[in-house]
Amino acid sequence: MNSVFEVQKTIREVLVKILDNYSLEQLNKIPQGFNNNIIWNAAHCVAVQQALVYKLSGLPTMVSKEFIVKYSKGAKPEGDVSQEEVDEIKVLLSTTLQQTKQDFSDALFVNFQEYTTSLGNTIRDVNGALEFNNYHEGLHTGVIMSIRKFV
């Protein structure tokens, strides 16, 4: 599973770098033709990783239920996020990955509730959740790359 965590680390580093290189106004801008913005997509990656890996394993998440709801599939930005929120999301991109890696190493993911994604892919265990999560974060990183062209 080391390669899965290495891929996620690379994705998360790319996301942090993007957040570091755009103004708060740019991070919050929703370009015409898009439903969300750069910061929403980055936070969405954190929220979905927590739901896929921790909630489906019956474990407490590292982020609040409100955070997961605010950035869950189908949600949209409800207004601009503050610089403080951006800074929190940047920290979460790193800390949630580090903790997940440690929890995986400590074999905390014993139970798992199967989940079928909107693509029809059934995730049967935490390994599948971690693998699917990388696909998902890669997809949203691509969306962020597209949004960058318009902000």
Side-chain angles (χ1 to χ4, degrees):
M1 288 307 288
N2 272 346
S3 63
V4 169
F5 288 115
E6 285 303 313
V7 168
Q8 190 176 22
K9 181 177 180 243
T10 300
I11 293 168
R12 297 285 180 100
E13 287 170 349
V14 166
L15 293 175
V16 168
K17 200 174 289 184
I18 290 168
L19 298 183
D20 282 340
N21 287 303
Y22 285 82
S23 69
L24 186 58
E25 181 182 345
Q26 290 173 310
L27 295 176
N28 279 298
K29 182 175 181 179
I30 302 173
Q32 187 174 0
F34 289 87
N35 294 324
N36 45 49
N37 51 34
I38 291 172
I39 193 62
W40 186 92
N41 277 278
H44 175 71
C45 288
V46 172
V48 169
Q49 185 261 7
Q50 290 290 290
L52 283 175
V53 177
Y54 285 87
K55 281 183 77 174
L56 291 176
S57 294
L59 297 171
T61 59
M62 290 174 259
V63 298
S64 69
K65 180 180 178 181
E66 293 77 23
F67 185 95
I68 291 175
V69 169
K70 182 177 181 177
Y71 296 108
S72 66
K73 180 179 179 167
K76 295 179 181 176
E78 299 170 358
D80 288 352
V81 300
S82 66
Q83 186 60 52
E84 181 179 85
E85 289 173 285
V86 171
D87 294 341
E88 176 190 2
I89 291 163
K90 286 183 348 189
V91 168
L92 287 170
L93 284 164
S94 175
T95 58
T96 55
L97 170 60
Q98 293 167 358
Q99 189 63 53
T100 302
K101 190 174 179 181
Q102 184 62 53
D103 291 346
F104 185 84
S105 176
D106 292 343
L108 294 186
F109 302 105
V110 178
N111 300 310
F112 194 84
Q113 177 186 336
E114 279 192 10
Y115 174 75
T116 301
T117 69
S118 58
L119 296 173
N121 180 42
T122 300
I123 302 171
R124 293 184 167 77
D125 57 26
V126 73
N127 293 352
L130 290 165
E131 291 166 356
F132 181 81
N133 184 68
N134 281 353
Y135 159 78
H136 179 261
E137 290 194 11
L139 182 72
H140 282 276
T141 300
V143 170
I144 289 170
M145 299 293 190
S146 294
I147 292 173
R148 289 187 326 170
K149 297 174 186 173
F150 300 101
V151 299

